[in-house]
Amino acid sequence: MSTDTTLSAAAAQPAAKPRSRRMSTSTILLIVAGALVGLSLVHQLANAPDVTSSGAIQAALQAAVPLGLAGLGGLWAERAGVVNIGLEGQMILGTWFGAWGSLEFGPWIGLLIGILGGAVGGLVHAVATVTFGVDHIISGVAMTILAPGVVRYLSYITWGSAGATQSPQVVDQVPRLSVPGVNSLKGLEEHQWFLISDIAGVLRGLLHEVSLVTILAVLLIPLTAWVLWKTAFGLRVRSVGEDPQAAESLGLNVYRYKYYGVVISGAMAGLGGVYLSTVTSAIYREGQTGGRGYIGLAAMIFGNWRPGGLAVGASLFGYTDALQLRRGSESVHALLILVGALLLALAVWEFIRRNRVVAISSAVLGVLSYVLFFSVDKIPTALVQAAPYITVLVVLALAAQRLRPPAADGKPYRRGG
Amino acid sequence: MTADPPAVELKGITKRFPGVVANSDVNLTVRKGTIHAIVGENGAGKSTLMKILYGMQPPDEGEILIEGNPVKFSSPQGAIGAGIGMVHQHFMLADNFTVTENVVLGAEKLHGIGTQAKAKITEISQRYGLGVEPDTLVEDLGVGDRQRVEILKVLYRGARILILDEPTAVLVPQEVDELFGNLRELIREGLTVLFISHKLDEVRGVADDITVIRRGTTVASVKPDQVTARQLATLMVGSELPSPEARESTVTDVPVLVVRGLTVRGPDGRPIVDDATFTIHKGEVVGIAGVEGNGQAELAEAIIGMRDSAGTVELDGVAIAGWDTRRRREAGLGYIPEDRHRQGLLLDAPLWENRILGHQTEPPNAKGFLINVGGARRDTTRIVAEYDVRTPSIDVAAVALSGGNQQKLIVGREMSHQPKVLIAAHPTRGVDVGAQAAIWDHIRNARIAGMGVLLISADLDELIGLSDALKVIYGGRLVADADPSTVTPEQLGVAMTGATGEETPS
C-alpha cells in the first residue's frame, strides 16, 4: 500500500512495470553449465566419480521421473484450486494397476490401466472435495490410507495369499531407446578427465537405454506448460484455481474444470506409479511409492507451481535419491563441498538483500556442511538414505520466501457463493 | 410511437424469496443510448432486480423486453447472448492473471486467447477511451483501472446494454469523474447504461433518467434536472431526512485520546503512518481526510492495537500503547472497521454470534468464563430494534443482510458498550441515505454523552458535517488541519492530494 499506487490512479500513469517472471534460455544454460563444472570439481577434489557417472545420472533420471509426475499431478490439481495430498494414494493405485495390467495385457495397455487407476483415485478425491466440499487435506489423507488397503485386497484376490504384498515378475516392459553412438562415450567417461569425462557420463546417462515412458514423462512437462498457459482449456482450469467466483460470473462451470484438474492430477500420479512398478523395477511391491507423492508435491512447491521449476525440483530430489544407490556414503560426502559452497553463497546473497533470517540459517547450514565434510570420510548410511528428505526440507525452508500459489488454492468453493 | 423500441422494458416484475418479497410489480423503461439510474435504499431490491435482468434469478411474475422482444433468461449466458453485460460491485478479476486472461476467460471462442484477442482488447480500449493495457497483471492495477477492465470484459462479449452495480462505491472522486467520462463515451457509441446507486448527487450529475425503487417496487421515474437531491432522497426513503451537520458543539477540554508520535512501518521499513500526533477531547469528533491508501487505515488499526506501532497512545489518561486489542477494547475503545467483510463480522455466523464478537468477555455476552447465550440473544434483539437492522430474525447469517444492515449491526454492537472513544472507519460506506442518517444520529448522540470519535471517511460531506476538527493525512503524515465550519469540500480535496503541504485555510 504505497502512496504512489493510489495517486497514480488520478495521474493515469501506466501501472505496468516489466516483470521477468521466467528465466531466459541463456540463464538456464548458464546454470546447467555451472552445475556441471561444480560437479566436475567435486568429482576431482573428493575423488568421487559417481557424482557424474552415467550410472548415477541414469538412476537420477529414473528417480526424478516419478517425482516429476507426482509434482505434475500436484500442479494440475492445485492450479484448479484443489490441494491433492492424496497423490501418494493415487500413485499406489498406479503401481498396482500398472503391474497388473502389464502382466495381463502387456506393457502399453498396462501403462494405460495404471494411469486409469490413478485417474479413478483423482475422481474420488474430486467427488469428495468438489461435489461434497470435504476438506481437501482430510480427503487426501483418506485417499492415502484407503489406497494401500484397496491394492492389498486386490493383490490377495488376484495373486493369492502368497502375492498379497508383491506381484509376480513383470517380464514384458516398454522398450528402451538409445541415441546411436552414445554408448561409445563410455571410454571417454572412464578416463576421469576434468569436465570432459563428466559431460560424457551425463550424456550417456541421459541418452543411453532410456525407456519410452521416461521420454513420455519428460515431454509431459512442456506439454503441461503449453496446455495450461497457451490454451483456452488451460486458462479455464487456472481461472478456477485463482478466482472461482470470477470464473463463475463469466459462465464457467467451475465444478467441471476442478474435476478436470483433479482427474488429470490423479492420472499423472498414476503414471508415476506405473513407472515405479514397470520401468524402475519390474514388479509391484507393497510400499513401493515410499512417500514419493509427498516429495513430488514438495518439488511442485519448490518450482513455484510451474512446470519448469517443478522439473528442476524433481531432478534435484531424484539426484539425491539416486546417489544413495551409487556408493552413497562417498558421493554424498563429496557433494557436501558443493552444498556448503552453495549455501554460503546464498547466505552472502541474502545478507546483501537484508534477508537476515534466511542469510543466517543458510550460513549455519553451510558451515555445518563443511564441518561434516572434514570430520568424517563417509556419511553414515542412515543419513545417506535421509538425504533426499533433508534436501526437501532445507530447500523448501529456504525457497518458501517468494512463492506464489494459486490464489484460491485449497479454499472450498460453493456454487453461487 | 415512431422512435426505436426501448432498450430494456420491465413489466410487472415480481420476485419472492422465502419470507420476503424482494420485488413487486416493478415497471421500468430504459431508452436506448441513455444512462438510466436506478436509486433506492440498501435492501430496496435494486440488486435483485438487476440479477433478474441479468438472468441470475428468474422472476416469479412479469415480463422482460429487450429492444422490443420478450425474453426469458435461465442463466447469465442467455442475458449475455441478448447483449446484456453486468459490471459487478465486487470486481470479478483474478489478480494473478493478465488483463487479457481475465477478459477472454469464458469467451475464448470469440478471438482466441492470443494475439488476436489482445488486438481486440486494445481496439475496444481505444474506441471507448478506457486506457487498458492487455498485458498488465491485474494485481498491478488500481481500483479505477480494474473497473475499466470489468467494463471492457463486458464490451468484449458484445454487450449493448451495461448494468453497473454501485460502480462508484469503491472510487475516489477523481476516479468517479473518469468513470462518468467513460460512461458518456459509451452512450455516444449507442450503448445503453443501467446504473445502480444511492449517491444522489452523482446520479443527478450523470443520468438521463432516474427510476426510484422503494421497498421492492418502482415509486417514481424522474428527470435529473427536475428534482433536487433532497427530493430524490425523500422519494427513496419515503420521509424527510436529516443532514450530517453536527449542530452545536459539545467539545469539552478534557482529552480522552492522546496520540503522540505514532509511527507504523511497512514490511520494507518505510513509515506508512509517520509521527502522527493529535488529541481527541470528550465530546469531540476528529475527522481524518485523505485519499485512500495514505495511512488512515493503518492509523486506525494501530490505535485499536491490530498493528505494531511506535509512539504513545493514552486513553482517558492511561497509556495503552503496549496493550493488545482485547485489553484496549475492554478499556473503552470501540471500532467500526473499514472492511466489514474482512473484519468486524463473521459472515457465516448468525447475527447474535456476531453481536458477541469483540465483546465476548463483557456482559451481556459473558458470565464469568462462559458465554451467556441468552443475554447475547436478548441484546441482539434490542440492537436489531433500536438500530433498525432489517432482518427476518437474529438467527440468520450475517451474509444474508444487505451492506447497510450489516453496518447498522456493527454500529449497534460497538455503541452498546459505551466506548470512551469510537474509531469509525468509513462508518457509512455502502450504506443508503436512510441508514446513513441513523448512523450519524447515533454518533451524534454518543458524542453529546461525552464520547470521542476518530472519524475516517472518504465522504467529504460527511467529514465536514460531522467533525469538530479535521486533519488531512497524506503519505502517512498529518499534513494539515482544517476547520469544518469554514472549509469546503474542494479545498479539502486539494489538500488531500498533497498539493499545498501547508495549512489549508482555517
Side-chain angles (χ1 to χ4, degrees):
Chain A
M1 263 296 167
S2 75
T3 327
D4 303 341
T5 47
T6 39
L7 288 179
S8 70
Q13 284 167 2
K17 54 181 173 195
R19 303 183 159 211
S20 60
R21 286 198 285 163
R22 286 184 203 174
M23 288 188 277
S24 66
T25 322
S26 51
T27 323
I28 292 170
L29 287 177
L30 256 173
I31 291 175
V32 170
L36 261 176
V37 172
L39 288 175
S40 299
L41 278 172
V42 169
H43 175 176
Q44 299 296 334
L45 285 176
N47 191 23
D50 261 325
V51 293
T52 56
S53 73
S54 57
I57 297 301
Q58 191 167 27
L61 182 61
Q62 291 206 350
V65 164
L67 299 180
L69 286 169
L72 276 181
L75 182 79
W76 273 94
E78 299 211 4
R79 279 288 168 188
V82 176
V83 173
N84 186 0
I85 207 171
L87 285 170
E88 178 77 11
Q90 289 139 11
M91 275 187 109
I92 290 173
L93 294 174
T95 55
W96 192 88
F97 280 100
W100 175 75
S102 296
L103 283 166
E104 295 283 321
F105 308 104
W108 289 108
I109 306 280
L111 192 72
L112 210 63
I113 290 177
I115 293 174
L116 278 178
V120 169
L123 185 66
V124 171
H125 188 56
V127 170
T129 54
V130 179
T131 303
F132 292 106
V134 174
D135 182 274
H136 299 182
I137 301 297
I138 292 179
S139 167
V141 169
M143 164 72 52
T144 309
I145 295 173
L146 186 68
V150 169
V151 297
R152 174 132 210 201
Y153 174 70
L154 289 175
S155 286
Y156 191 81
I157 58 172
T158 316
W159 298 311
S161 58
T165 57
Q166 63 175 49
S167 72
Q169 197 76 17
V170 177
V171 192
D172 206 4
Q173 286 182 304
V174 172
R176 291 172 185 261
L177 295 183
S178 297
V179 172
V182 102
N183 205 24
S184 59
L185 289 169
K186 191 160 190 270
L188 215 50
E189 190 191 339
E190 281 164 355
H191 276 294
Q192 312 280 342
W193 288 333
F194 175 69
L195 206 54
I196 294 174
S197 294
D198 298 301
I199 293 176
V202 171
L203 283 180
R204 193 161 161 264
L206 291 179
L207 302 177
H208 184 61
E209 289 274 298
V210 182
S211 170
L212 277 173
V213 188
T214 309
I215 297 171
L216 175 74
V218 170
L219 287 179
L220 280 175
I221 300 269
L223 184 70
T224 293
W226 181 78
V227 171
L228 279 178
W229 274 272
K230 296 290 175 198
T231 67
F233 173 75
L235 176 67
R236 290 176 170 213
V237 169
R238 284 187 298 128
S239 76
V240 302
E242 288 287 342
D243 194 338
Q245 275 78 25
E248 185 190 6
S249 78
L250 295 173
L252 260 63
N253 186 336
V254 174
Y255 289 177
R256 183 195 296 173
Y257 287 95
K258 281 181 179 277
Y259 264 92
Y260 287 149
V262 181
V263 170
I264 293 174
S265 165
M268 294 277 179
L271 179 58
V274 183
Y275 192 88
L276 285 173
S277 62
T278 69
V279 179
T280 319
S281 62
I283 188 171
Y284 157 78
R285 226 181 279 112
E286 203 170 76
Q288 198 164 23
T289 53
R292 284 185 178 80
Y294 301 111
I295 300 188
L297 216 49
M300 175 204 70
I301 295 171
F302 166 81
N304 202 7
W305 286 265
R306 284 178 173 275
L310 169 166
V312 174
S315 311
L316 181 64
F317 300 146
Y319 181 68
T320 353
D321 199 15
L323 274 189
Q324 57 171 291
L325 305 172
R326 319 286 302 182
R327 270 180 278 163
S329 297
E330 286 95 350
S331 299
V332 172
H333 180 249
L335 270 184
L336 283 174
I337 304 180
L338 190 61
V339 171
L342 284 177
L343 283 168
L344 290 180
L346 180 70
V348 172
W349 167 250
E350 294 289 353
F351 187 78
I352 295 169
R353 289 162 43 112
R354 293 160 165 260
N355 220 331
R356 288 248 174 80
V357 181
V358 181
I360 293 171
S361 5
S362 33
V364 168
L365 286 172
V367 170
L368 271 181
S369 305
Y370 280 116
V371 169
L372 197 59
F373 177 74
F374 287 114
S375 56
V376 295
D377 286 336
K378 283 183 173 184
I379 306 285
T381 324
L383 258 183
V384 171
Q385 280 168 355
Y389 308 97
I390 296 176
T391 314
V392 170
L393 269 179
V394 171
V395 165
L396 278 192
L398 297 180
Q401 314 295 320
R402 4 163 207 280
L403 293 179
R404 175 74 155 86
D409 195 9
K411 297 199 180 125
Y413 162 80
R414 298 278 70 175
R415 190 174 280 157
Chain B
M1 287 283 267
T2 52
D4 289 343
V8 179
E9 204 172 356
L10 301 180
K11 288 182 184 165
I13 297 285
T14 298
K15 176 76 188 172
R16 298 178 199 90
F17 291 114
V20 266
V21 180
N23 287 133
S24 66
D25 194 25
V26 170
N27 296 293
L28 180 68
T29 305
V30 182
R31 292 180 295 140
K32 211 174 200 163
T34 59
I35 300 179
H36 192 111
I38 296 175
V39 301
E41 288 185 276
N42 285 321
K46 299 170 301 207
S47 293
T48 310
L49 185 62
M50 290 306 111
K51 281 178 183 165
I52 291 171
L53 181 54
Y54 190 53
M56 290 162 87
Q57 277 159 356
D60 295 328
E61 287 166 32
E63 207 184 356
I64 304 173
L65 290 93
I66 304 297
E67 291 174 349
N69 307 311
V71 288
K72 268 193 168 44
F73 303 134
S74 54
S75 74
Q77 245 46 44
I80 293 168
I84 298 175
M86 175 103 152
V87 176
H88 298 271
Q89 183 180 2
H90 301 289
F91 298 149
M92 297 285 191
L93 296 171
D95 280 356
N96 201 22
F97 275 16
T98 63
V99 167
T100 306
E101 287 176 323
N102 268 297
V103 170
V104 301
L105 180 63
E108 300 92 344
K109 288 211 173 68
L110 293 177
H111 310 284
I113 67 170
T115 334
Q116 216 190 333
K118 284 179 191 169
K120 184 73 188 170
I121 289 169
T122 312
E123 181 207 316
I124 297 174
S125 170
Q126 281 167 357
R127 181 162 164 205
Y128 298 106
L130 297 173
V132 170
E133 300 277 339
D135 287 320
T136 321
L137 267 190
V138 164
E139 194 169 65
D140 295 334
L141 293 178
V143 177
D145 290 314
R146 287 180 192 216
Q147 191 164 52
R148 283 189 283 276
V149 174
E150 284 281 12
I151 293 175
L152 201 148
K153 215 158 95 176
V154 167
L155 296 175
Y156 187 84
R157 287 162 170 72
R160 307 287 301 158
I161 300 159
L162 273 74
I163 306 170
L164 285 89
D165 189 2
E166 307 213 5
T168 60
V170 290
L171 301 181
V172 298
Q174 294 91 330
E175 290 172 332
V176 171
D177 290 341
E178 283 178 50
L179 171 68
F180 288 169
N182 293 142
L183 295 186
R184 289 198 188 93
E185 195 70 39
L186 294 179
I187 57 166
R188 208 167 296 142
E189 297 280 333
L191 274 60
T192 307
V193 175
L194 260 124
F195 178 107
I196 302 179
S197 184
H198 53 241
K199 295 191 178 169
L200 302 178
D201 286 325
E202 289 174 6
V203 166
R204 286 180 61 246
V206 73
D208 299 304
D209 299 292
I210 301 173
T211 297
V212 183
I213 294 192
R214 187 168 75 222
R215 306 231 162 194
T217 188
T218 37
V219 292
S221 283
V222 293
K223 295 273 177 195
D225 47 6
Q226 291 163 1
V227 287
T228 64
R230 268 195 100 66
Q231 286 168 326
L232 256 188
T234 312
L235 277 172
M236 247 167 83
V237 183
S239 59
E240 285 290 323
L241 26 87
S243 60
E245 264 85 76
R247 297 181 192 98
E248 74 282 2
S249 172
T250 57
V251 183
T252 62
D253 51 7
V254 187
V256 65
L257 186 79
V258 183
V259 174
R260 283 196 206 94
L262 189 78
T263 301
V264 178
R265 291 188 184 279
D268 54 357
R270 283 194 311 172
I272 303 173
V273 177
D274 194 359
D275 196 21
T277 297
F278 60 92
T279 302
I280 300 178
H281 300 90
K282 282 192 176 168
E284 183 182 37
V285 179
V286 173
I288 304 280
V291 178
E292 217 145 305
N294 272 286
Q296 52 273 67
E298 289 79 5
L299 175 67
E301 290 179 2
I303 295 176
I304 193 71
M306 289 164 51
R307 226 172 235 278
D308 288 336
S309 59
T312 63
V313 183
E314 269 176 36
L315 178 66
D316 210 9
V318 186
I320 60 167
W323 294 11
D324 60 21
T325 305
R326 145 106 294 98
R327 211 164 151 206
R328 292 184 197 214
R329 287 181 69 98
E330 284 167 358
L333 270 185
Y335 182 43
I336 301 175
E338 167 175 343
D339 181 345
R340 57 184 167 253
H341 289 178
R342 215 159 53 74
Q343 303 167 351
L345 285 179
L346 289 178
L347 287 176
D348 293 324
L351 300 190
W352 67 268
E353 283 186 12
N354 275 294
R355 159 69 186 92
I356 299 175
L357 279 190
H359 301 282
Q360 59 269 42
T361 53
E362 300 161 56
N365 300 329
K367 258 187 201 158
F369 288 118
L370 299 176
I371 293 289
N372 180 356
V373 174
R377 291 181 65 96
R378 271 191 299 281
D379 203 56
T380 310
T381 312
R382 176 189 65 80
I383 291 176
V384 164
E386 265 180 39
Y387 289 80
D388 189 28
V389 181
R390 288 186 199 158
T391 171
S393 104
I394 62 165
D395 288 308
V396 301
V399 71
L401 266 57
S402 70
N405 284 311
Q406 291 173 348
Q407 191 73 355
K408 284 189 276 189
L409 180 76
I410 294 179
V411 173
R413 174 181 76 200
E414 296 305 313
M415 292 298 207
S416 299
H417 292 265
Q418 282 83 39
K420 291 171 183 164
V421 173
L422 178 71
I423 300 165
H426 307 279
T428 60
R429 170 180 283 180
V431 169
D432 61 70
V433 281
Q436 198 174 30
I439 291 172
W440 284 335
D441 270 340
H442 288 297
I443 292 180
R444 240 179 255 127
N445 292 341
R447 163 179 161 273
I448 294 166
M451 180 178 78
V453 180
L454 180 68
L455 176 69
I456 293 169
S457 179
D459 178 346
L460 299 185
D461 291 321
E462 173 176 86
L463 271 177
I464 294 171
L466 218 52
S467 302
D468 299 298
L470 273 174
K471 310 212 172 271
V472 179
I473 191 164
Y474 175 71
R477 299 186 71 89
L478 296 176
V479 292
D481 291 315
D483 182 347
S485 60
T486 55
V487 75
T488 65
E490 288 72 28
Q491 289 168 331
L492 210 51
V494 170
M496 279 161 57
T497 61
T500 61
E502 284 307 309
E503 289 272 302
T504 46
S506 52

